[in-house]
Amino acid sequence: MHDARPDPDALIAQLRNDEARALRGKLRIYFGASAGVGKTWAMLSAAQRERTAGRDVLIGVVETHGRSETAALLAGLDTLPLRELAYRGRTLAEFDLDAALLRKPAVLLVDELAHTNAPGSRHAKRWQDVQELLAAGIEVWSALNVQHLESLNGTVGAITGVRVHETVPDTVLDEADEVVLVDVTPDELTARLAAGKVYLPQQAERAAQNFFRKGNLIALREIALRRTAEHVEDDVRGWRVEQSGAVGNGQGGASLQAWNTSGAILACVGPHEGAAQTVRTAARLAGQLNVRWHAAYVETPRLQRLAAAERDRILAVLKLAEELGAATAVLTGADVAEQLSEQARRLNCATLVMGRSEPARGWRRWWPAAAVPLPRALAQRAPALDILEVGRADSARRLARTPLNTPRADDDDHEKAPIHWPGYAWATATSVALTLLCTPLASVLELSNIVMLFLLGVVGVAMRFGRGPSALAALLNVAAFDYFFVPPRLSFAVSDVQYVLTFAIMLGVGLLVGQLTAGLRFAAGVSTSRERRARSLFELTRELSAALESTQVVTLGAAAVQGHFGGHALVLVTDAADQLVLPKEPPEGFDAQVADWAFRHGQPAGLATATLAAQPWHYVPLKAPMRVRGVLALSPAQPRWLLIPEQAQQLDTLARQIAIALERVHYVEVAQQAVVEMESERLRNALLGAISHDVRTPLTALIALAESLQTLPAEEHGNAARAIVAQAHELHALVNNLLDMARLESGIAGGAVNLRRDWQSVEEVVGSSIRAARTSLGDAVVQTALAADLPLVEFDAVLIERVLVNLLENATKYGAPSIVVGARAEPGTLVLTVRDHGPGLPAALLGHEQKLFDKFTRGEAESATPGVGLGLAICRAVVSAHGGEITAANARDGGAEFTVSLPRREPPEPAEAQL
């Protein structure tokens, strides 16, 4: 039986998605085939209708291009003043993003979505400003031409012959809530251009001869219609997916199967110029098929030696792929086909998109490597993989150079890879050294053994200096062997033709050994790099697992990031007010405002990002599972590392680990605070319970006795007065206990208990304690068992007397006569004991006798005996302040015995004591 119930996980994901979209503003894009079709006019007309309906409509920026009909539609609409920026002696007017966020209208019009902002703006592109407005919950309307879509850049350039430099990622259009197609026929658009309704007359004439040719307009119109249809198809597909999950809609879940696709797309990024077009085509194909897609670049030992300019171009292509929605990766290996086929299997990709290689020319057509091109090698390794070759588009825009490297004067000038001359010098020196070594051995060793020595030299050079020096060493060794050792010697001529084969084999073996050794060095370097990334991540995870404070996490996290990337790293956390705690002395180049922006928006900013890319620091928000916990700021030693996908992923992983550690420490502190609050609440309840019973009882008795004085005969006043005094003493003792405990606890916590130590006679302190407790003792008999040789002991007599009084009162309340107070001297210790002959300690406390000394703890939870449970707690506090120990136990012959052990030293001489 088919279960038509919806998937709970899918419903939860849908609810979260709906909640996120509800908080985010809506984006409406007026989409057209080219300039002049009426996008801005349609947008302003809809704005006028919204204003009439009562909505708050604000114009952020609108370009009328001198069109009077468009300018007339601005009447009555509020306009946001533009922000002026100084640039190279000129003043540029730009959209004021901060003012728009502060104003926060219901609808904001931001024209020219593909516009490039002036240097000094927060974002490099206007579409990035729109993303921030949407995140703030503002509905945005904008306009876009089809030639400005990044994936269509090369296609439009090939059709029109015009390079479009201002582009927008396709994901911006794909994620738009509404796409309004504004369309006119090519003939009508040409007539509008001639009438001056698109550009000024001088511009219109040039446009008509270049971009606005009828063939171009027809092709662009077709592309715009198809792109809009794809967006509408996505909307329909999304609606059907939502409906298929609904219960009782009559569709069930089977209709969803028709929309599933098998496999993804893998774009192969190569070192050639057409790699950007390959990425754009893969993005377009993935959008049409509604599948995920990936981009991969395989770095071989040969490609590792590319010039810096070519490596920068490859990184720019990978960054373009990320902007278009791909997951990028840099693979390493000597066999490109093997690495790509393995990556395709790992990612479950069904189609591989690659650029079309140039046909071999000249002698290269006869080179064996040309007989097995990359597509054929891929077809052999992965027969089920669909391979799509992308044609070149020479009219596509060139990707901008990354700001992480020094700009070059000539854009077409490719910097040559540096030649490591020391390696070639060592190769030459090695060949000369081997020749000198083998010359005296020529009469002793066979020529085959001398060949082995020369080959050994090639291996050594290859292991130390790589492929190029090893090839030079092989050539020099063959020449040296021929000239100095093969007869006739000191001549390149040979007496035996077989030596020619020896030379060929020797040279081939030398080159092959050098190639294999260089490959091993390359593989070892790759493994070392991977091991270094894994080790840094493991070490950080291990150290963070033991961190218990946020300061430890900050120190460990900054050290780990700085150790991996070099340069400087800072981990910024938040305070109690949820504000970033900035360093007191910020390092050079650090910008607190950029760090705060990355924290508030939860997005990277600064170096190697699309937000404030001119900054020398890279700022990463520390995103934990619950919230953003701070910002990781990094000024790397090699800024271009941030463009390498593996290094960027490593930084994100490190930041994630730091964020999780900060959140863990935060909740540990929250748990500790909760425990403290629970303990405080328990003590508060115990105190209130004790006061409500033990303090209220004496007060009630005092009030009753005072009122009875008015009615009692005179001869009874004495008894009543004595009863009032007794109750007052009891209340005074309770209050003294509370005050003493508060004073002692405060002193112990602050480390400042004021002990008035002096050399005291133990006998006098015991006697004064019995006299002070006489009121509480009543008629109870107190016996003393004091040793005859008790020495003078240094302690605070008042506090120790308080301890003995409390122990005597406790024995009176819970024990039975007789009460025995003992004292004896042991090596380095004074032992005081107070015992009674009562029932002893409660059975529930046996084995846990130290609980008796906790605050508000009583031997019996419910008892008519007065007291708040502070007497023994005060005893422990006083004894601990003296450095001693107090214990409780049952005596052997019945009753409870409390033992106080105080540290002591030998008393001074009488003369010294008097001083």
Side-chain angles (χ1 to χ4, degrees):
M1 180 178 179
H2 177 69
D3 189 359
R5 292 177 299 177
D7 183 7
D9 294 335
L11 290 178
I12 293 175
Q14 182 64 32
L15 289 174
R16 291 178 177 174
N17 184 51
D18 293 342
E19 182 180 358
R21 294 186 67 87
L23 297 176
R24 183 178 175 86
K26 294 183 177 180
L27 175 61
R28 176 189 294 184
I29 296 179
Y30 288 85
F31 192 56
S34 66
V37 297
K39 302 182 299 299
T40 305
W41 187 89
M43 182 171 61
L44 289 175
S45 300
Q48 289 288 0
R49 292 192 295 271
E50 293 294 319
R51 182 184 68 86
T52 304
R55 296 192 72 185
D56 180 17
V57 180
L58 177 66
I59 295 179
V61 57
V62 164
E63 301 290 346
T64 62
H65 298 289
R67 304 165 192 160
S68 56
E69 298 89 345
T70 304
L73 291 174
L74 297 175
L77 292 173
D78 294 339
T79 303
L80 191 69
L82 298 178
R83 184 167 64 101
E84 295 183 354
L85 292 173
Y87 180 68
R88 293 184 178 178
R90 296 185 301 167
T91 301
L92 304 178
E94 286 290 351
F95 168 62
D96 195 340
L97 175 60
D98 292 324
L101 292 171
L102 184 62
R103 172 72 163 75
K104 199 170 185 179
V107 178
L108 181 65
L109 277 61
V110 182
D111 203 3
E112 301 288 348
L113 188 60
H115 172 76
T116 300
N117 294 330
S121 301
R122 181 183 304 171
H123 301 294
K125 297 288 187 177
R126 184 168 290 172
W127 64 265
Q128 295 170 336
D129 295 339
V130 170
Q131 293 294 324
E132 186 169 347
L133 292 168
L134 295 174
I138 301 175
E139 182 176 346
V140 180
W141 295 358
S142 189
L144 180 67
N145 293 329
V146 69
Q147 66 264 27
H148 293 297
L149 287 176
E150 179 61 52
S151 66
L152 297 173
N153 185 265
T155 303
V156 173
I159 295 174
T160 63
V162 178
R163 290 185 180 180
V164 179
H165 297 281
E166 293 182 330
T167 60
V168 173
D170 288 44
T171 53
V172 177
L173 181 67
D174 296 335
E175 294 174 359
D177 298 274
E178 298 179 17
V179 175
V180 180
L181 178 65
V182 182
D183 182 48
V184 297
T185 62
D187 293 334
E188 182 180 352
L189 183 57
T190 304
R192 294 187 63 187
L193 180 66
K197 296 182 178 181
V198 179
Y199 295 126
L200 297 178
Q202 298 83 357
Q203 296 175 322
E205 183 178 354
R206 291 195 302 268
Q209 296 175 359
N210 297 288
F211 190 87
F212 281 81
R213 290 177 292 184
K214 186 172 182 178
N216 293 348
L217 298 179
I218 293 174
L220 292 177
R221 187 187 185 199
E222 178 185 1
I223 295 175
L225 290 172
R226 289 183 180 275
R227 195 66 181 84
T228 307
E230 291 173 8
H231 189 277
V232 174
E233 181 182 2
D234 292 340
D235 292 341
V236 173
R237 185 181 295 111
W239 179 84
R240 294 183 66 185
V241 169
E242 294 178 1
Q243 291 300 312
S244 65
V247 178
N249 56 10
Q251 297 183 26
S255 57
L256 181 61
Q257 299 300 324
W259 303 326
N260 283 342
T261 55
S262 58
I265 293 177
L266 176 62
C268 176
V269 177
H272 50 76
E273 290 282 351
Q277 181 62 19
T278 302
V279 167
R280 295 186 181 104
T281 302
R284 292 278 301 119
L285 184 60
Q288 292 173 355
L289 298 178
N290 191 28
V291 297
R292 55 188 173 85
W293 70 290
H294 308 263
Y297 165 68
V298 181
E299 188 174 52
T300 62
R302 181 179 64 84
L303 295 179
Q304 196 180 38
R305 302 191 303 272
L306 289 176
E310 296 179 355
R311 293 173 67 87
D312 293 343
R313 184 178 66 245
I314 294 170
L315 293 177
V317 174
L318 290 174
K319 187 171 182 60
L320 172 64
E322 290 181 350
E323 293 176 352
L324 294 176
T328 59
V330 175
L331 310 176
T332 51
D335 192 337
V336 177
E338 179 182 358
Q339 294 296 325
L340 288 177
S341 59
E342 180 63 27
Q343 183 76 351
R345 283 192 294 267
R346 186 184 305 112
L347 300 175
N348 192 27
C349 296
T351 305
L352 189 142
V353 180
M354 60 186 303
R356 182 175 298 162
S357 59
E358 294 183 352
R361 299 176 182 177
W363 62 270
R364 295 180 180 273
R365 291 179 298 176
W366 311 103
W367 192 253
V372 186
L374 180 59
R376 184 178 302 176
L378 284 169
Q380 294 174 354
R381 291 185 175 273
L385 184 66
D386 296 333
I387 302 175
L388 174 63
E389 292 191 14
V390 178
R392 294 182 176 272
D394 297 330
S395 298
R397 75 175 180 93
R398 289 183 178 178
L399 298 179
R401 291 194 185 276
T402 169
L404 305 186
N405 299 284
T406 305
R408 303 172 179 86
D410 186 2
D411 193 49
D412 294 330
D413 182 25
H414 296 288
E415 179 185 347
K416 299 299 182 182
I419 299 177
H420 300 286
W421 294 112
Y424 293 94
W426 275 101
T428 304
T430 302
S431 180
V432 173
L434 286 173
T435 302
L436 295 176
L437 176 65
C438 294
T439 298
L441 301 176
S443 59
V444 179
L445 298 178
E446 296 289 338
L447 292 181
S448 58
N449 293 327
I450 295 177
V451 169
M452 293 298 103
L453 292 176
F454 278 112
L455 288 179
L456 181 61
V458 174
V459 174
V461 172
M463 292 182 62
R464 181 64 180 84
F465 300 104
R467 182 182 293 101
S470 68
L472 176 61
L475 292 173
L476 292 178
N477 288 352
V478 170
F481 177 72
D482 180 18
Y483 189 80
F484 291 102
F485 299 99
V486 175
R489 301 178 65 180
L490 303 180
S491 172
F492 287 107
V494 293
S495 60
D496 191 345
V497 178
Q498 293 183 0
Y499 281 112
V500 177
L501 179 61
T502 302
F503 298 153
I505 295 176
M506 182 178 176
L507 180 61
V509 171
L511 294 177
L512 178 61
V513 169
Q515 177 75 14
L516 293 177
T517 306
L520 290 176
R521 293 178 68 247
F522 173 75
V526 171
S527 300
T528 301
S529 178
R530 291 176 179 174
E531 188 271 338
R532 179 173 174 266
R533 292 198 301 267
R535 185 178 66 252
S536 63
L537 182 59
F538 167 75
E539 291 178 351
L540 177 62
T541 304
R542 181 187 60 190
E543 293 173 353
L544 289 179
S545 63
L548 298 177
E549 297 180 356
S550 59
T551 54
Q552 293 177 305
V553 176
V554 168
T555 303
L556 294 174
V561 175
Q562 188 168 325
H564 185 82
F565 290 93
H568 300 282
L570 294 174
V571 176
L572 308 177
V573 296
T574 56
D575 55 15
D578 202 22
Q579 299 293 326
L580 278 181
V581 179
L582 301 176
K584 296 181 179 179
E585 297 181 0
E588 183 180 358
F590 177 82
D591 194 326
Q593 294 182 350
V594 182
D596 185 68
W597 187 92
F599 170 70
R600 288 186 292 104
H601 291 80
Q603 298 177 3
L607 185 70
T609 67
T611 302
L612 299 171
Q615 292 288 326
W617 284 68
H618 182 75
Y619 303 87
V620 182
L622 298 177
K623 294 183 178 179
M626 297 300 297
R627 50 168 297 179
V628 178
R629 294 291 171 184
V631 171
L632 171 63
L634 171 65
S635 177
Q638 297 292 335
R640 67 192 307 273
W641 279 15
L642 298 177
L643 297 179
I644 302 175
E646 277 70 18
Q647 298 295 341
Q649 293 172 5
Q650 179 77 1
L651 181 60
D652 290 340
T653 304
L654 293 175
R656 181 76 171 179
Q657 292 298 320
I658 296 172
I660 293 175
L662 286 173
E663 186 160 277
R664 176 181 59 80
V665 170
H666 168 74
Y667 283 114
V668 168
E669 294 175 353
V670 170
Q672 291 176 345
Q673 184 64 26
V675 171
V676 171
E677 292 178 355
M678 292 172 60
E679 183 65 18
S680 300
E681 184 67 22
R682 186 187 70 82
L683 294 177
R684 187 181 301 109
N685 293 335
L687 176 60
L688 292 176
I691 291 177
S692 65
H693 178 269
D694 296 304
V695 176
R696 184 174 57 183
T697 300
L699 287 176
T700 303
L702 285 173
I703 294 173
L705 290 171
E707 291 178 347
S708 66
L709 289 175
Q710 300 176 2
T711 58
L712 286 175
E715 59 273 10
E716 297 292 335
H717 285 183
N719 295 331
R722 285 189 292 272
I724 291 175
V725 171
Q727 294 296 332
H729 278 297
E730 185 176 338
L731 182 59
H732 181 265
L734 292 174
V735 174
N736 278 344
N737 279 341
L738 292 173
L739 295 178
D740 289 346
M741 192 70 245
R743 180 173 64 86
L744 290 171
E745 286 293 316
S746 176
I748 292 173
V753 177
N754 188 16
L755 296 179
R756 297 181 179 180
R757 293 179 180 267
D758 200 358
W759 294 100
Q760 307 290 341
S761 170
V762 179
E763 295 89 343
E764 293 182 1
V765 174
V766 172
S768 61
S769 302
I770 296 174
R771 288 191 298 270
R774 178 49 60 188
T775 303
S776 301
L777 292 172
D779 298 332
V781 178
V782 178
Q783 299 176 358
T784 59
L786 306 179
D789 56 346
L790 284 176
L792 296 178
V793 181
E794 189 179 22
F795 53 75
D796 189 324
V798 175
L799 292 180
I800 296 300
E801 179 181 316
R802 185 65 178 167
V803 170
L804 293 176
V805 169
N806 286 351
L807 292 177
L808 290 171
E809 292 179 349
N810 184 79
T812 304
K813 292 178 182 179
Y814 301 102
S818 63
I819 300 174
V820 181
V821 179
R824 67 181 184 273
E826 295 180 355
T829 306
L830 172 66
V831 179
L832 300 174
T833 60
V834 177
R835 61 158 298 183
D836 60 69
H837 292 79
L841 299 179
L845 291 177
L846 295 180
H848 308 280
E849 290 82 1
Q850 286 298 319
K851 289 185 177 181
L852 278 173
F853 301 98
D854 293 341
K855 295 185 293 293
F856 306 110
T857 299
R858 305 177 66 184
E860 299 178 8
E862 298 293 335
S863 174
T865 305
V868 294
L870 287 178
L872 296 181
I874 292 174
C875 293
R876 183 171 64 177
V878 171
V879 173
S880 298
H882 281 79
E885 182 182 4
I886 183 171
T887 60
N890 284 327
R892 292 183 178 179
D893 52 350
E897 182 176 26
F898 291 83
T899 303
V900 176
S901 300
L902 297 177
R904 72 177 185 89
R905 60 190 179 93
E906 292 300 324
E909 296 297 330
E912 183 180 349
Q914 291 176 2
L915 293 176

